[in-house]
Amino acid sequence: MASSTDPEEEDGMDEFLEKFKGKMYKDGFTEDNWEKEFDKIPMFMKKAPEDLDPMEHPEVACIQSMLYDEDQSPEELAKTYKNEGNEYFKEKNYKRAVVSYTEGLKRKCSDTELTVILYTNRAAAQFYLGNNRSALNDVIAARKLKPNHLKAIIRGVLCHIELKDSSSAVSWCDEGLQIEPKEKQLLELRAKTDKQKRVEERNRRKATLSDKKQRVQAEALLKAIQERKIKLFEPPELPSQSSDDENDGKKDNNIVRTLFNGVNAESHVVHLDENGSLHWPVLFLYPEHEQMDFISAFHEDTQFIDHLSEMFGEQLPPWDTEKKYKPANLELYFEDEQMGDLFLVDPVCSLRQVLSHPRYVVKAGNPRIIILVRGSSFCKEFLSGKKSSRKLKRLYSYLNPINTRLLEAEQKGLFFVVVGKRAGECWGKDLTATPMLSFVILKM
């Protein structure tokens, strides 16, 4: 029997449907926006929004308020944060995972097993972020609550490996194997850490031997320098409360350190050869052209003229456009920066003679020599500028003026020139007792 229908109701429905035949639903999905609109619906979201804006995602905000309702028990909230952290972890969003696990731990729930899981999971997230120390702290906290928790032990081993603490890694492996002797990952890590431990011990022994060798070499180097009465610049140090013996050791170490702070110090430093001779990295400075030459290993008994003849022989440097830098035309100087004096160097002097001069101080491990062209306008201007601010002294062969007459001459503003083939033999000797030697006292 067919059911009867109210004619008025049927006519009303037809009329309602007729309204939509002539116009389209304004807010409906289109081919261009349907994916974007679907992503706004929580059920179809591929990824939860990083920073939740309730105005932009009201549905998600509503669901979140239900999930994290403060009326829930600490255990329920902690579990919710744990699940949220796990989802972030699966997405490899380790930073957000750490935040979620941390929120779960803040609930201080009474479920020990859940707390252990939160600590262990946060340790895993921290580990993948490279925060190995924080990860280790979390697994230690987890083991305090559950000492035989294998996941925490394995994670702790991995942290110790990354922190280069192979001894602790081996110890943690052994503790884990006592709980589960056949645990495959622990057995593999045990073999790896044991090998790493032996390598680290070997490297420590090698480093100890290397340090000892370097210390012996440094002591021999310092002794050779002191025997030659060569002075090294010592940077000032802050006062300490150490004993006198400790201070002496620190002073020697500080002096040696200054030798290795100069130009090209990584590859070229002063050193002793097998014959006990010193080789210095020397700088030749040309202030007129703002140029510099670096001699990496200047033998202490080599004369300056030998290097000058080689450097300014047939082929002159490109910056010497006037071709005036020739060995016979050059004047060499060193400067006593503390007293503000310039000393003229005889080219036939050896480097050892210069460095042993009482007024020469080696700075940063690099002896420095100023080179000028004799009689040039720049040379006159340079020396004149020095005279205006400091006393200029010219001393050939660096003879210590112990002779009374020379001392008196120096005090009167005169300088002396030692002449004769034996001029270089007079270092530290009484000039009046040296045969076949003459000198001339000239005015400035």
Side-chain angles (χ1 to χ4, degrees), residues 263 268-271 279-283 294-298 365-367:
V263 177
H268 302 292
V269 295
V270 58
H271 64 275
H279 297 255
W280 292 85
V282 177
L283 291 171
F294 179 74
I295 303 171
S296 60
F298 195 130
N366 295 128

Side-chain angles (χ1 to χ4, degrees), residues 96-107:
R96 298 287 296 182
V98 167
V99 172
S100 297
Y101 295 136
T102 302
E103 289 297 322
L105 288 167
K106 286 180 179 179
R107 304 305 142 183

